[in-house]
Amino acid sequence: MSADANDGLSRRGFLAISAATLGGVMLAPGIRLIEIAGARAPEQSVSRQVRWGLLIDTNKCAPGCDDCVKACATENGLKDTGHPRTDAQWIRKVELKDMRTGRANSVPVMCQHCEHPPCVDVCPTGASFKRADGIVLVDRHICIGCRYCIMACPYKARSIVFEAITDQNPDVPRGNGCAEGCTLCVHRIDRDQQPACVEACTKAGHNAMFFGDLNDPHSEIAQRVAKYASTQIRADFKLNPGVRYQGL
Amino acid sequence: MAEYLIYHELGGPSRRFWSLLGLLAVPLALAAIAYFYMEHYGHIVTGMDNQIVWGMPHVFAVFLIIAATGALNIAMAASVFGKAVYRPVAPLSALVSLALLAGGLALVMLDLGRSDRMVVAAMQLNPESLLSRRVIFYDGYMASVGVYMWFLLEPRMNRYVKPVAIVAFLWQLLLITSTGLEFGFNFRAVYDSVLYAPMFIAFSSAYGAAALILILLAACGWEGRDVSGELLRRLKNWLGVSVGASLFFAILFLGTKYELVRSRDVARFLLFDGGVYTALLWLGQIALGGVVPLALLLRSRLSRSGIAAAAAMVLLGGLAQMYVTLIGGQAYPQILFPGMIESSSYFDGEIHPYAPSLVEVLLGLGGVALAASIVAIVLRAIALLPERLDPPAKPQA
Ligand code: SF4
Ligand code: SF4
């Protein structure tokens, strides 16, 4: 479908590494790489050259902290209805404990914005779709609520809305009976802002989340991915998620 | 050819027929109420939640769809493989298949989160999606079975029955295999096994034959007619072989899940500590739907009521199987981090509870009633029942 969106780790890794070396030499001190990544012309905002992604440094993510989860709820108008089993959750903190070593970790999990998204493969109407820049979304106008995407997603990233919704955030339309999931705050990205979760994590001083263009060798995220060992959740499924984890 | 095959409509006094329809209208009306209730309040009134997103209506729907593809087997045996003994009931076999499929698909539609947008599914087909490919398979299947039925019943077209039957057979194979693979290709731990494809073929053969036998016996009982002993014996054996194959694949599936270390936990869940799913697997799917009817069917002399009882057990066991497969498959946690204990506000790492609500059960039963009503009405309106149910004297296409 979109092999062009990501040509695999090796080429990107190579580009990122060479760019990182060059960047270190050529950039004036004080200019942050991420600002260059964000400085695209508006008409380039949805481009196949871009692959938006997240990097989560689990060493910095504190157990019990849910700043990202709260920020997501506020930004996207997700309210607690008092029915936790049916409420939508776009991002959640998963507490982990290694069965053999006892090592504990706490990681935020949201839609992984897969390069080969099974949710898109199964959707009968095309409501579930991947944007050219790698963001996987649901078009609430044509979703028929079949829930097949929820069955197909291996990351439990999708929810279905069980009740009528009031007081919506105009930027983030939601609908009773429709599927939904993390949009990577696409409405903010298109305004050159960071996703709400990343912003909240940074603001609180945790600095555990990085957002950026994985395809852009100058971006902080690409450089970090090139420099540090990172993993994808269930990499064995070969879906090539755009969300990467460091320190797992 | 086939002069001895004269078909006629379902007879009997019309008052009796109308009371049958009146009886069937009760579950249909209840299902309609259930649907509007769900449609009005949203799926919050069902037992489903964001972990168990496909509930009881899907259990019935997938069961009916699986049975539908299998119900055609008898017709295919007659028209593709030349088994003349089944020729008299070939049109009935095709009708039961279409009716069960209609019941199952209606349930899929009515259980949509946005069933008001049903047409969107037809207008906006995403050609790359698995499910849309299924929609095409359904259409192809229904069209080819329809043409096949017409050729069967129209004497002038009779000689072209075989090629048309082969086309229907290929669609049937495509439909049942893709249904099985949809589970087989899913990442969830209970699924994720290509054995789903052959296993679903066996299941469909058993459920379809059981449904056909019950409907045949009911239709003949309705008019006080006898089914030929030979036909019944063959149908009984067919059901027996299908139930045996279903058991074989189920055991192979569970056994391989258990043997492979990576899937042992999920096999343990199904086999030993899955609570209601374990109980339904052993008592419902294996005992009631498998071992007991198989023991009955293996007897060389089995009365009509014995055969009917075995068929009914196979169907009940089939519903249990579908519940274990669909609900159990969702109840078992999705593993994001193998080797780690997971917990979260989204119930990661937990077995998810589910209790079907009344509306879901009523909707599901409505799908069964819809299939039964279609069979009753079409049998009354169109001459599909053979005048004689004896085996024909000579082989035919
Ligand atoms: S994480 Fe799930 S919802 Fe998100 S793109 Fe992948 S399959 Fe789709
Ligand atoms: S629930 Fe909506 S987005 Fe998901 S597969 Fe069905 S139609 Fe597509």
Side-chain angles (χ1 to χ4, degrees):
Chain A
M1 261 190 323
S2 55
D4 48 343
N6 194 333
D7 292 333
L9 276 169
S10 51
R11 205 196 94 200
R12 196 182 54 238
F14 167 74
L15 286 177
I17 291 165
S18 32
T21 344
L22 283 177
V25 180
M26 291 171 22
L27 285 173
I31 296 187
R32 280 186 36 235
L33 294 162
I34 189 102
E35 282 160 3
I36 294 175
R40 289 169 194 285
E43 62 273 16
Q44 283 181 332
S45 56
V46 182
S47 149
R48 275 174 197 281
Q49 317 298 311
V50 177
R51 171 97 199 266
W52 294 123
L54 291 172
L55 176 67
I56 291 151
D57 185 347
T58 60
N59 294 316
K60 298 202 181 131
C61 180
C65 167
D66 63 351
D67 288 344
C68 51
V69 178
K70 283 199 235 108
C72 174
T74 311
E75 178 67 33
N76 296 300
L78 306 175
K79 291 190 193 72
D80 182 356
T81 63
H83 307 130
R85 298 209 74 93
T86 45
D87 277 352
Q89 290 198 31
W90 292 12
I91 177 172
R92 62 193 190 272
K93 282 295 295 291
V94 181
E95 308 295 333
L96 300 172
K97 192 166 174 200
D98 193 305
M99 285 185 217
R100 282 168 295 264
T101 62
R103 180 169 179 252
N105 261 316
S106 174
V107 294
V109 176
M110 69 297 285
C111 171
Q112 305 286 298
H113 298 280
C114 308
E115 186 194 354
H116 309 290
C119 59
V120 172
D121 289 343
V122 298
C123 177
T125 62
S128 194
F129 70 103
K130 191 177 77 173
R131 256 176 36 151
D133 55 6
I135 302 179
V136 177
L137 298 169
V138 178
D139 179 344
R140 263 63 148 219
H141 295 288
I142 52 175
C143 170
I144 53 174
C146 68
R147 281 110 67 209
Y148 203 167
C149 53
I150 304 178
M151 288 297 287
C153 170
Y155 301 108
K156 299 183 17 140
R158 285 262 167 104
S159 305
I160 182 107
V161 181
F162 278 80
E163 298 169 82
I165 294 173
T166 48
D167 281 341
Q168 300 196 34
N169 173 353
D171 274 337
V172 189
R174 308 173 60 208
N176 187 7
C178 290
E180 55 180 37
C182 156
T183 65
L184 218 54
C185 283
V186 66
H187 57 290
R188 294 170 58 98
I189 293 178
D190 288 348
R191 294 195 297 246
D192 281 339
Q193 289 173 304
Q194 304 240 329
C197 53
V198 178
E199 192 183 77
C201 186
T202 311
K203 223 177 232 165
H206 308 303
N207 292 316
M209 298 177 96
F210 301 89
F211 165 77
D213 178 6
L214 288 164
N215 280 354
D216 175 2
H218 300 297
S219 72
E220 185 174 5
I221 188 169
Q223 303 207 342
R224 282 180 168 269
V225 172
K227 200 152 152 200
Y228 306 110
S230 63
T231 43
Q232 303 172 327
I233 305 181
R234 294 307 301 253
D236 53 323
F237 291 156
K238 303 256 184 287
L239 305 175
N240 192 16
V243 181
R244 313 288 163 83
Y245 292 81
Q246 198 181 319
L248 268 188
Chain B
M1 71 190 287
E3 303 87 337
Y4 40 79
L5 274 181
I6 299 164
Y7 290 97
H8 69 92
E9 295 89 355
L10 189 69
S14 63
R15 235 209 4 230
R16 198 150 65 98
F17 183 72
W18 283 109
S19 10
L20 171 70
L21 287 192
L23 213 64
L24 286 170
V26 176
L28 283 176
L30 288 174
I33 294 170
Y35 164 71
F36 284 113
Y37 183 66
M38 267 168 71
E39 163 73 9
H40 183 75
Y41 289 102
H43 274 63
I44 189 81
V45 297
T46 68
M48 298 175 225
D49 60 26
N50 261 316
Q51 310 304 322
I52 310 277
V53 292
W54 281 356
M56 210 53 181
H58 268 82
V59 172
F60 277 96
V62 183
F63 174 73
L64 287 170
I65 291 169
I66 296 285
T69 44
L72 190 70
N73 283 352
I74 305 296
M76 296 296 100
S79 300
V80 177
F81 300 103
K83 300 273 182 255
V85 64
Y86 298 123
R87 177 63 170 79
V89 286
L92 183 67
S93 156
L95 168 66
V96 170
S97 175
L98 289 180
L100 292 174
L101 191 59
L105 290 181
L107 284 180
V108 171
M109 298 291 208
L110 294 176
D111 186 42
L112 292 176
R114 298 300 302 248
S115 53
D116 53 321
R117 294 183 183 161
M118 246 180 264
V119 271
V120 177
M123 310 293 287
Q124 296 257 8
L125 265 200
N126 160 22
E128 276 164 31
S129 126
L130 290 177
L131 199 69
S132 328
R133 256 177 263 158
R134 296 285 307 286
V135 173
I136 297 164
F137 293 168
Y138 289 131
D139 292 347
Y141 180 75
M142 288 194 275
S144 65
V145 175
V147 172
Y148 163 71
M149 249 172 112
W150 168 43
F151 278 31
L152 263 186
L153 297 172
E154 171 61 58
R156 280 169 304 166
M157 294 302 196
N158 255 210
R159 58 197 157 120
Y160 304 116
V161 156
K162 187 159 181 173
V164 174
I166 291 175
V167 174
F169 177 67
L170 292 177
W171 278 113
Q172 181 198 21
L173 210 59
L174 209 61
L175 188 57
I176 183 67
T177 310
S178 69
T179 310
L181 285 181
E182 229 165 80
F183 287 96
F185 287 166
N186 194 292
F187 290 114
R188 286 167 194 261
V190 171
Y191 309 138
D192 187 25
S193 160
V194 283
L195 277 178
Y196 269 96
M199 185 161 73
F200 267 38
I201 292 180
F203 288 169
S204 84
S205 186
Y207 309 160
L212 181 69
I213 288 173
L214 284 181
I215 288 173
L216 179 68
L217 289 177
C220 292
W222 177 268
E223 297 179 316
R225 287 190 315 138
D226 229 17
V227 188
S228 93
E230 173 64 6
L231 176 66
L232 214 52
R233 195 182 63 79
R234 298 287 286 268
L235 286 174
K236 170 188 95 101
N237 290 347
W238 183 296
L239 183 60
V241 170
S242 307
V243 171
S246 301
L247 269 179
F248 168 77
F249 278 112
I251 291 166
L252 186 65
F253 165 74
L254 291 164
T256 48
K257 281 261 178 220
Y258 190 82
E259 274 308 308
L260 288 174
V261 177
R262 67 181 153 93
S263 55
R264 182 158 300 161
D265 285 345
V266 71
R268 266 211 200 105
F269 167 74
L270 290 174
L271 288 167
F272 308 118
D273 32 54
V276 60
Y277 308 106
T278 301
L280 281 173
L281 174 73
W282 286 108
L283 301 177
Q285 179 181 347
I286 306 238
L288 182 69
V291 177
V292 178
L294 189 62
L296 269 179
L297 294 164
L298 282 175
R299 292 164 52 162
S300 52
R301 298 185 156 275
L302 187 61
S303 65
R304 272 169 76 145
S305 46
I307 297 177
M313 282 190 258
V314 170
L315 291 181
L316 289 176
L319 270 174
Q321 171 270 316
M322 216 38 99
Y323 194 92
V324 174
T325 301
L326 258 175
I327 312 289
Q330 296 173 82
Y332 190 77
Q334 280 183 277
I335 295 151
L336 271 65
F337 301 91
M340 311 249 202
I341 300 165
E342 306 170 17
S343 65
S344 80
S345 60
Y346 209 43
F347 315 102
D348 281 272
E350 296 171 26
I351 310 278
H352 311 304
Y354 168 75
S357 66
L358 182 65
V359 277
E360 290 170 83
V361 178
L362 290 179
L363 189 61
L365 289 174
V368 179
L370 178 64
S373 315
I374 293 174
V375 172
I377 292 170
V378 174
L379 280 185
R380 182 83 176 186
I382 304 176
L384 286 179
L385 284 170
E387 194 77 27
R388 301 175 55 194
L389 275 165
D390 309 357
K394 52 183 176 179
Q396 53 179 300

